[in-house]
């Protein structure tokens, strides 16, 4: 029994490292596992519904409301809450889930969360926007079913680890901004002040601009996928047991360290899991940098570019800005131009992290070390499951 619990702890350790394909057992307590995602989506949906309800029906209504300092302060607070509360609630729920998975409990609270998710969110949409209740209920049920499927195949474990890894990388935020941003800004600031980019930004609908950003993202993902496949192959061929074993002494695998390590070939699913972990973490790091660039240029544009200048560039008055359907007191054209520059910067950074030595040492090598340790741990785990010590 004690050995069984030890194996369960090891399997949970692999899942927390984003490697569910290594685990030979299927995840239990799926309702508890999806609780963080349920909390995040529910909080986001409710807050966006409230923002849509209070921002007025037209741009003119929104501009008139923003003239009130009290409304502007409250609206800004709601925008900040949209950034903070879903992530904070999901993080706190994830901490609760980790404890409940060890205790094999938490099913009743998780069921209550799921029921609230299915019922309360559609009711809020009906009250605020007048949406159809049956359609809202069906949509929530489909989302819940998708979350169950994702948890069953281990998508939640991969996304959860990538998010935690990206959060840990915020410790390198100063290094990120000092190494990556200056060279980017050297080129992009000059482009920011060209008439043509403002004309393109003003002419493209937001949906078309998202397609442009999506094209940059696809190119970045294709490049990363090709590069990271080679990295996983290199790691599997060159991993050494002593380094990995030394880093496993404070993990649930500590009791397995008496076993010798035999290199076991990766299955196709395990190899795909490891590539996906590396790629998703790189994508999230790229997203962080692109977001920083976007915020910088929005703030820079507010300070440096007057409405009269925008009018001279695009030939008309700037329109009121929206982002994800939320009204913002920022010109739409400034948001468009900032979005384009941020997408281009993300593509540049994604390519640099695996090709440029200085970027690689700061942002990619720690991920490669993490994977190397996981490979040694996998060999110990599978050797123990085989019923005989690994050789």
């Amino acid at each position: 029994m004690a050995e069984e619990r030890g194996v369960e702890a090891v399997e949970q350790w692999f899942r927390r490292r984003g490697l569910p394909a290594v685990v030979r057992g299927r995840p239990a307590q799926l309702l508890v596992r999806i609780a963080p995602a349920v909390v995040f989506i529910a909080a986001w949906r409710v807050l966006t519904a409230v923002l849509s309800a209070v921002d007025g029906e037209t741009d003119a209504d929104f501009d008139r409301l923003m003239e009130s300092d009290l409304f502007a302060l409250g609206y800004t607070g709601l925008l900040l809450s949209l950034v903070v509360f879903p992530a904070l609630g999901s993080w706190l729920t994830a901490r609760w889930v980790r404890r409940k998975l060890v205790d094999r409990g938490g099913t009743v609270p998780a069921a209550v969360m799921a029921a609230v998710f299915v019922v309360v969110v559609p009711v809020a949409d009906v009250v605020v926007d007048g949406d159809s209740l049956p359609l809202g209920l069906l949509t929530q049920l489909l989302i819940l079913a998708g979350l169950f499927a994702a948890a069953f195949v281990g998508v939640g474990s991969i996304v959860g680890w990538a998010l935690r890894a990206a959060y840990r990388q915020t410790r390198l935020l100063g290094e990120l901004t000092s190494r990556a941003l200056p060279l980017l800004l050297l080129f992009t600031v000059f482009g920011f002040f060209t008439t043509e980019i403002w004309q393109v930004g003003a002419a493209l609908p937001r949906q078309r601009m998202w397609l442009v950003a999506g094209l940059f993202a696809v190119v970045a993902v294709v490049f990363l996928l090709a590069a990271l496949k080679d990295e996983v192959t290199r790691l599997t061929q060159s991993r050494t047991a002593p380094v990995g074993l030394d880093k496993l002494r404070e993990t649930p695998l500590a009791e397995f360290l008496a076993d010798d390590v035999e290199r076991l070939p990766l299955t196709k699913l395990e190899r795909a899991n490891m590539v996906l972990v590396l790629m998703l973490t790189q994508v999230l790091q790229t997203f962080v940098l692109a977001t920083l660039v976007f915020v910088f240029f929005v703030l820079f544009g507010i300070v440096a570019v007057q409405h009269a200048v925008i009018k001279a560039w695009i030939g008309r008055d700037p329109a009121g800005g929206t982002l994800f359907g939320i009204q913002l007191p920022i010109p739409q054209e400034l948001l468009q131009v900032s979005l384009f520059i941020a997408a281009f910067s993300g593509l540049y950074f994604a390519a640099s992290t695996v090709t440029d030595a200085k970027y690689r040492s700061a942002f990619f090598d720690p991920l490669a070390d993490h994977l190397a340790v996981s490979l040694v741990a996998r060999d110990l785990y599978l050797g123990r499951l085989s019923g005989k010590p690994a050789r």
Side-chain angles (χ1 to χ4, degrees):
M1 183 66 178
E3 183 175 354
E4 181 181 347
R5 293 298 294 271
V7 171
E8 289 180 359
V10 170
E11 292 177 347
Q12 185 62 23
W13 181 83
F14 277 116
R15 290 192 178 101
R16 279 191 52 77
R17 291 174 74 86
L19 298 173
V22 172
V23 177
R24 295 303 182 253
R26 289 297 182 182
Q29 296 179 278
L30 294 181
L31 192 59
V32 178
R33 292 178 185 275
I34 66 172
V38 166
V39 170
F40 182 89
I41 297 173
W44 180 274
R45 291 279 300 277
V46 170
L47 287 171
T48 52
V50 172
L51 283 166
S52 298
V54 302
D55 63 7
E57 297 181 0
T58 65
D59 290 346
D61 292 337
F62 180 71
D63 293 338
R64 177 178 52 81
L65 290 169
M66 288 297 291
E67 292 176 358
S68 168
D69 293 339
L70 183 61
F71 178 85
L73 181 62
Y75 195 80
T76 302
L78 281 174
L79 288 174
L80 292 176
S81 68
L82 184 63
V83 176
V84 174
F85 286 158
L88 179 61
S90 180
W91 176 69
L92 292 174
T93 306
R95 289 171 59 89
W96 172 81
V97 166
R98 287 199 295 271
R99 294 195 302 270
K100 293 304 178 182
L101 289 177
V102 174
D103 300 336
R104 300 183 181 182
T107 301
V108 173
V112 173
M113 294 180 198
V116 170
F117 176 75
V118 171
V119 177
V120 173
V121 173
V123 170
D125 289 338
V126 170
V127 173
V128 174
D129 296 328
D131 294 343
S132 169
L133 182 59
L135 181 60
L137 291 172
L138 178 60
T139 300
Q140 295 301 102
L141 286 172
L142 290 175
I143 293 174
L144 195 65
L147 293 176
F148 272 115
F152 183 76
V153 300
V155 173
S157 299
I158 298 172
V159 174
W161 184 86
L163 287 172
R164 290 191 296 271
Y167 174 76
R168 287 191 293 270
Q169 290 291 329
T170 56
R171 294 178 300 177
L172 299 174
L173 193 59
E175 192 167 6
L176 177 69
T177 54
S178 64
R179 290 192 178 190
L181 285 182
L183 184 59
L184 281 173
L185 296 180
L186 179 64
F187 295 103
T188 53
V189 166
F190 288 105
F192 182 76
F193 286 108
T194 59
T195 304
E196 290 78 12
I197 194 172
W198 285 87
Q199 291 174 341
V200 171
L204 285 179
R206 177 57 56 81
Q207 293 82 357
R208 188 71 64 86
M209 183 59 75
W210 282 123
L211 287 176
V212 173
L215 178 61
F216 283 132
V218 168
V219 173
V221 167
V222 170
F223 176 83
L224 286 174
L225 188 61
L228 296 178
K229 281 183 178 179
D230 294 338
E231 290 293 338
V232 170
T233 300
R234 183 184 63 80
L235 285 171
T236 56
Q237 293 175 349
S238 63
R239 68 185 188 269
T240 55
V243 175
L245 292 174
D246 185 61
K247 295 183 178 180
L248 292 173
R249 300 191 186 282
E250 302 299 326
T251 72
L253 285 122
E255 63 179 83
F256 295 179
L257 295 182
D259 299 341
D260 294 328
V261 179
E262 177 187 8
R263 292 187 178 183
L264 301 173
L266 294 175
T267 66
K268 291 183 178 180
L269 184 60
E270 289 172 334
R271 187 178 297 273
N273 187 174
M274 293 179 182
V275 172
L276 183 59
V277 162
L278 289 177
M279 186 177 70
L280 187 56
T281 308
Q282 291 292 97
V283 167
L284 288 174
Q285 288 179 352
T286 302
F287 177 76
V288 170
L289 179 122
T291 302
L292 288 174
V293 172
F294 175 78
V295 172
F296 171 82
F297 277 104
V298 168
L299 296 176
F300 182 61
I302 292 173
V303 173
V305 183
Q306 300 297 317
H307 282 211
V309 177
I310 298 177
K311 182 178 180 180
W313 282 339
I314 66 176
R316 59 172 173 78
D317 289 324
T322 61
L323 191 62
F324 302 114
I326 299 171
Q327 292 271 13
L328 297 174
I330 301 168
Q332 181 81 340
E333 293 75 17
L334 174 57
L335 293 175
Q336 293 278 89
V337 171
S338 301
L339 180 60
F340 176 83
I341 294 176
F344 173 78
S345 301
L347 175 60
Y348 169 83
F349 178 73
S352 299
T353 52
V354 292
T355 57
D356 188 283
K358 63 179 182 179
Y359 289 103
R360 182 186 176 93
S361 63
F363 305 111
F364 181 77
D365 287 349
L367 301 176
D369 292 342
H370 160 90
L371 195 57
V373 173
S374 298
L375 286 167
V376 176
R378 168 190 172 274
D379 294 340
L380 286 170
Y381 163 71
L382 294 181
R384 180 61 63 93
L385 284 186
S386 68
K388 56 182 180 179
R391 295 174 297 174

